[in-house]
Amino acid sequence: MPQSFLSDATAIAPAHIIEMAQKAASPRVAIARAGAPLPMLAAKEATEANMMIPVFTGERHMIEAEAEKLNWNISGFELIEAEGEAASGAAAALACGEGRADVLMKGQLHTDAFMRAAVSRDAGLRTGRRFVHIFHITTADGTGSITISDAAVNVTPDIATRQDATAEVVKLLHKLGNARPKVAFLSATESAIESVPSSMEGRALRDWARANIADADFSGPLAFDLIMSPKSVATKKMTDDPVAGKADAIIVPDIVSGNGLFKSFVYLAGGCAGGIVMGAKVPILLTSRADPPAARLSSVALGAIMAAA
């Protein structure tokens, strides 16, 4: 029988992030189309962990039916009735735009419908910055972490979008207690080579970040081994690089590399990935049906921390 490379480790939500979220004021989280098992279970667990106050949107009968299955009395929480994906997404986004909720969370609706509602001018969530998705991934035992942007929203982010992503990643890591995060710009090489566009862009992003973002170290372009492996760094005699071999975050050149890296950390190493979209008026939680409970709880915790900030 062929060996499986998939990890059987059970990921746990990072304790220090959960504790930070619990110490912050619980944000009101508008759940777009909440009436389904996974979003309702995530809402119940996060509410009971003192990390959120739910604001349900969607079909009342579906929401109440799911709450009953969980033996959860939701009569004390706001419920905004809406029919279907588009209306539920719009209602949740508008609640955030109008200041009636502090975090926007995806429930039982397609990602394109959810993000369409979030970026709509009618929702009032635009700030002039680009929306960028960030994954904060902890190791299976919760002792280490890596942050990746952008693995879910921007398909081929241009330089300006990656500049915003870099600034948002540093902001997030500062709020999580990392006083001077180390950020790497991913390519296939550590040299700027014209035939490898991501390497030229990585060098340009490094120079821009060093000039414009304080309290962080930047390096690029860097191949993945030089981002993660001190042994590779020593072999290639790059031990003087401030980021190589000890990066806290990776800015990727496109969604394919970002998504592949994120899923490698989760499925091969058993990591726990909390995801958040930044750049909007409020934090946005873009959860997936495939997310385990620990990942959903981690995402809510990130939202609570950033909402408090």
Side-chain angles (χ1 to χ4, degrees), residues 3-4 27 47 73 87 109 124 135 199 285 296 306:
Q3 179 183 358
S4 173
T47 300
N73 180 3
L109 74 169
F135 272 122
S199 70
L285 308 183
R296 289 175 177 269
M306 295 312 297

Side-chain angles (χ1 to χ4, degrees), residues 5 26 34 58 76 112-113 126 131 155 173 190 192 200 221 225 256 278:
F5 288 97
S26 295
D112 58 345
R126 293 189 180 189
F131 286 19
V155 177
L173 291 175
E190 70 275 16
M200 300 294 291
D225 61 329
V256 175
M278 295 177 61

Side-chain angles (χ1 to χ4, degrees), residues 75-233:
S75 61
F77 302 119
E78 183 177 3
L79 195 160
I80 303 170
E81 292 194 65
E83 291 288 329
E85 290 193 359
S88 298
L94 184 62
C96 292
E98 292 181 343
R100 293 180 284 117
D102 311 298
V103 177
L104 177 61
M105 179 176 173
K106 179 177 175 287
Q108 187 68 11
L109 74 169
H110 289 90
T111 299
D112 58 345
F114 177 70
M115 290 306 299
R116 192 179 305 118
V119 302
S120 168
R121 294 189 183 279
D122 295 335
L125 294 180
R126 293 189 180 189
T127 63
R129 301 191 305 276
R130 294 159 181 80
F131 286 19
V132 294
H133 187 271
I134 301 170
F135 272 122
H136 182 74
I137 307 167
T138 51
T139 54
D141 61 3
T143 60
S145 68
I146 191 75
T147 301
I148 298 175
S149 179
D150 187 316
V153 172
N154 295 293
V155 177
T156 52
D158 58 17
I159 291 288
T161 301
R162 277 177 277 168
Q163 288 174 344
D164 280 356
T166 305
E168 297 292 355
V169 162
V170 171
K171 183 191 303 182
L172 174 65
L173 291 175
H174 281 166
K175 295 302 180 185
L176 294 180
N178 188 332
R180 193 174 184 88
K182 300 178 182 300
V183 182
F185 298 100
L186 178 68
S187 184
T189 173
E190 70 275 16
S191 302
I193 304 171
E194 290 188 4
S195 59
V196 184
S198 62
S199 70
M200 300 294 291
E201 294 162 355
R203 179 61 52 83
L205 284 163
R206 181 204 67 181
D207 293 344
W208 174 87
R210 287 178 175 176
N212 289 276
I213 301 177
D215 300 319
D217 293 315
F218 304 95
S219 183
L222 287 176
F224 183 69
D225 61 329
L226 291 173
I227 292 174
M228 302 298 297
S229 170
K231 182 177 179 180
S232 293
V233 172

Side-chain angles (χ1 to χ4, degrees), residues 20 48 54 58 62 68 92 107 112 166 204 249 254 262 276 294:
M20 288 180 66
E48 291 176 344
M62 294 170 62
E68 186 174 350
D112 58 345
T166 305
D254 57 59
F262 142 64
I276 186 171

